[in-house]
């Protein structure tokens, strides 16, 4: 993920938050308008009932105007009910867009973006229809804030439709597959570095349960030209393939990364997770890839393909819940059986 793409991801997150806020304002406006109309409707009926019990000329002259408004208010209340239902749909779709913000180019995100835009247009039409026959001061702070929220939601919907339609996710190209040629391990390693590993940025996370000294060596070769763009490297593995020199190699690797400003965190998955976890993958905030075991990544005939970041993140976080820090494992091993 490039720095520009990282900024785009943050911008998208803030835009969705603003969309959610605008949707909440629109929902609040619908409920408030329903309340005001109901109060006016009840007051109007009360005045008409009072007028029927009196012969006051002053009251009778006002009843004609009030009666004319009662029908408009009743229609507006019915329309406002629909506006309220639609506004809650706006909030729900904005919430889903925020939850799936890391997968904004997926079909589901496209559907909910289109849904929010459609609901916004229907909301505008019904809101205007409900107010069109009423005598209202549209310059009041209340209506100015509501109109601002509606305008913001409409502009954001247009922006989201435009960005989703015109941009292609950076992980789309690798999904076609990158083949590892075991007969050309050096070339394969260079291709892996240039195509995938040199583009990782920020917090980089790896799941590979057979992480040993060879894996450390290969990972270093794959990332060495890109370390300035990485702030943290988190690895989840298991103790299945630790070799005699692993701790020394890991310590040297960690110290070298630390000197270059990269934090290294190695976690060991639980025994249960180690049995169930077979896939290896690497990802950052923008891209994710299924990979062969790092210790033989350039020697195994296999395709490397793209993976949804949300799926990789979810699996990583699940493994992290039951994982143990490697440093704690080393201390426990040094103490021997308890």
């Amino acid at each position: 993920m490039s720095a520009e793409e990282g900024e785009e991801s943050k911008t998208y997150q803030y835009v969705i938050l603003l969309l959610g806020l605008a949707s909440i304002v629109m929902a609040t406006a619908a409920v408030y308008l329903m309340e005001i109309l109901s109060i006016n409707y009840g007051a109007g009926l009360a005045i008409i009932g009072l007028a029927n019990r009196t012969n006051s000329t002053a009251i009778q002259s006002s009843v004609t105007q009030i009666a004319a408004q009662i029908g408009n208010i009743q229609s507006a209340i019915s329309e406002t009910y629909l506006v309220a239902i639609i506004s809650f749909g706006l909030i729900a779709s904005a919430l889903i867009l925020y939850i799936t913000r890391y997968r904004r180019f997926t079909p589901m995100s496209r559907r909910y973006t289109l849904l929010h835009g459609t609901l916004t247009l229907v909301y505008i039409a019904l809101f205007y229809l409900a107010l069109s026959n009423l005598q209202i001061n549209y310059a009041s702070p209340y209506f100015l804030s509501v109109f601002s929220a509606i305008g913001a939601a409409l502009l954001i919907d247009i922006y989201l439709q435009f960005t989703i339609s015109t941009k292609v996710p950076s992980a789309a190209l690798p999904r076609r597959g990158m083949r590892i040629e075991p007969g050309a391990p050096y070339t394969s390693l260079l291709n892996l570095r240039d195509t995938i590993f040199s583009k990782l940025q920020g917090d980089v996370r790896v799941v590979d349960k057979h992480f040993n000294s060879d894996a450390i060596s290969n990972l270093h070769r794959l990332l060495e030209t890109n370390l300035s763009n990485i702030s943290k490297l988190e690895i989840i593995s298991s103790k299945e393939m630790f070799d005699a020199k692993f701790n020394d190699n890991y310590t040297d690797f960690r110290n070298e990364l630390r000197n270059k400003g990269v934090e290294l965190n190695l976690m060991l998955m639980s025994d249960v997770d180690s049995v169930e976890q077979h896939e290896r993958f690497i990802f950052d905030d923008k891209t994710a890839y299924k990979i062969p075991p790092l210790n033989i990544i350039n020697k195994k005939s296999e395709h490397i393909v793209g993976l949804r970041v949300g799926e990789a993140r979810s699996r990583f976080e699940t493994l992290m819940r039951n994982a143990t820090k490697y440093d704690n494992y080393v201390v426990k091993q040094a103490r021997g059986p308890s």
Side-chain angles (χ1 to χ4, degrees):
M1 181 180 67
S2 65
E4 182 180 354
E5 289 171 335
E7 288 301 319
E8 286 181 359
S9 180
K10 290 181 180 178
T11 299
Y12 180 84
Q13 179 177 341
Y14 296 144
V15 165
I16 296 300
L17 285 173
L18 182 59
L19 183 66
L21 178 61
S23 300
I24 292 173
V25 172
M26 292 163 69
T28 304
V31 174
Y32 178 73
L33 181 60
M34 189 187 307
E35 179 183 359
I36 296 300
L37 290 173
S38 299
I39 292 173
N40 289 337
Y41 181 75
L45 290 179
I47 293 175
I48 291 175
L50 177 63
N52 291 332
R53 294 193 297 271
T54 180
N55 293 322
S56 171
T57 304
I59 293 179
Q60 290 293 339
S61 63
S62 300
V63 166
T64 303
Q65 298 178 355
I66 295 173
Q69 284 290 317
I70 284 294
N72 293 335
I73 292 176
Q74 188 174 15
S75 298
I77 290 174
S78 299
E79 291 155 0
T80 307
Y81 276 121
L82 294 176
V83 171
I85 294 173
I86 290 171
S87 64
F88 293 127
L90 291 171
I91 294 176
S93 55
L95 178 61
I96 293 173
L97 286 173
Y98 182 78
I99 293 173
T100 59
R101 61 191 182 278
Y102 297 110
R103 295 173 286 172
R104 64 180 183 271
F105 297 108
T106 61
M108 184 176 68
S109 293
R110 293 190 183 97
R111 285 196 296 269
Y112 280 101
T113 299
L114 180 60
L115 174 63
H116 195 284
T118 303
L119 291 179
T120 299
L121 292 175
V122 176
Y123 180 100
I124 292 172
L126 290 176
F127 197 79
Y128 172 78
L129 189 61
L131 300 180
S132 59
N133 295 320
L134 302 178
Q135 297 179 354
I136 294 176
N137 178 19
Y138 293 107
S140 66
Y142 165 74
F143 280 105
L144 289 178
S145 63
V146 174
F147 294 150
S148 297
I150 293 174
L154 185 60
L155 289 175
I156 291 172
D157 286 329
I158 294 173
Y159 166 78
L160 292 178
Q161 284 295 330
F162 175 78
T163 54
I164 288 177
S165 300
T166 57
K167 288 190 71 70
V168 178
S170 59
L173 180 61
R175 280 189 178 276
R176 295 203 302 265
M178 174 184 170
R179 185 172 179 80
I180 302 298
E181 298 294 342
Y186 179 73
T187 301
S188 295
L189 203 67
L190 291 180
N191 289 338
L192 281 168
R193 186 188 67 187
D194 296 339
T195 305
I196 295 176
F197 286 80
S198 65
K199 294 178 173 58
L200 298 170
Q201 292 198 359
D203 293 350
V204 177
R205 299 172 176 90
V206 180
V207 172
D208 181 358
K209 71 174 185 178
H210 290 159
F211 194 77
N212 57 11
S213 293
D214 290 335
I216 292 176
S217 176
N218 285 336
L219 185 60
H220 177 264
R221 294 167 69 187
L222 290 166
L223 293 176
E224 61 180 337
T225 61
N226 189 40
L227 290 176
S228 60
N229 294 320
I230 297 174
S231 56
K232 180 187 290 186
L233 179 60
E234 292 187 290
I235 302 169
I236 296 182
S237 184
S238 71
K239 54 182 180 292
E240 292 181 9
M241 292 188 64
F242 284 170
D243 49 89
K245 291 290 185 180
F246 178 82
N247 188 59
D248 292 338
N249 291 327
Y250 169 77
T251 302
D252 292 341
F253 184 47
R254 181 184 59 188
N255 292 338
E256 183 173 331
L257 290 182
R258 182 182 297 161
N259 293 336
K260 295 183 178 181
V262 180
E263 178 185 349
L264 176 61
N265 181 28
L266 175 61
M267 305 289 293
L268 302 181
M269 62 183 75
S270 67
D271 292 339
V272 174
D273 288 338
S274 179
V275 172
E276 297 177 352
Q277 181 63 36
H278 299 289
E279 286 187 339
R280 283 89 170 170
F281 54 90
I282 186 170
F283 69 100
D284 58 13
D285 290 336
K286 183 68 175 182
T287 55
Y289 309 95
K290 292 181 181 180
I291 59 174
L294 279 164
N295 60 327
I296 54 171
I297 192 170
N298 60 333
K299 299 176 182 178
K300 185 176 182 180
S301 181
E302 190 169 331
H303 275 80
I304 292 181
V305 296
L307 178 68
R308 290 181 179 177
V309 174
E311 294 177 8
R313 187 188 306 278
S314 176
R315 185 56 184 161
F316 185 89
E317 291 175 351
T318 299
L319 293 172
M320 279 287 285
R321 294 191 194 104
N322 302 319
T324 303
K325 285 187 176 182
Y326 173 73
D327 292 341
N328 293 342
Y329 166 78
V330 172
V331 172
K332 184 176 180 180
Q333 290 298 111
R335 291 175 178 172
S338 56

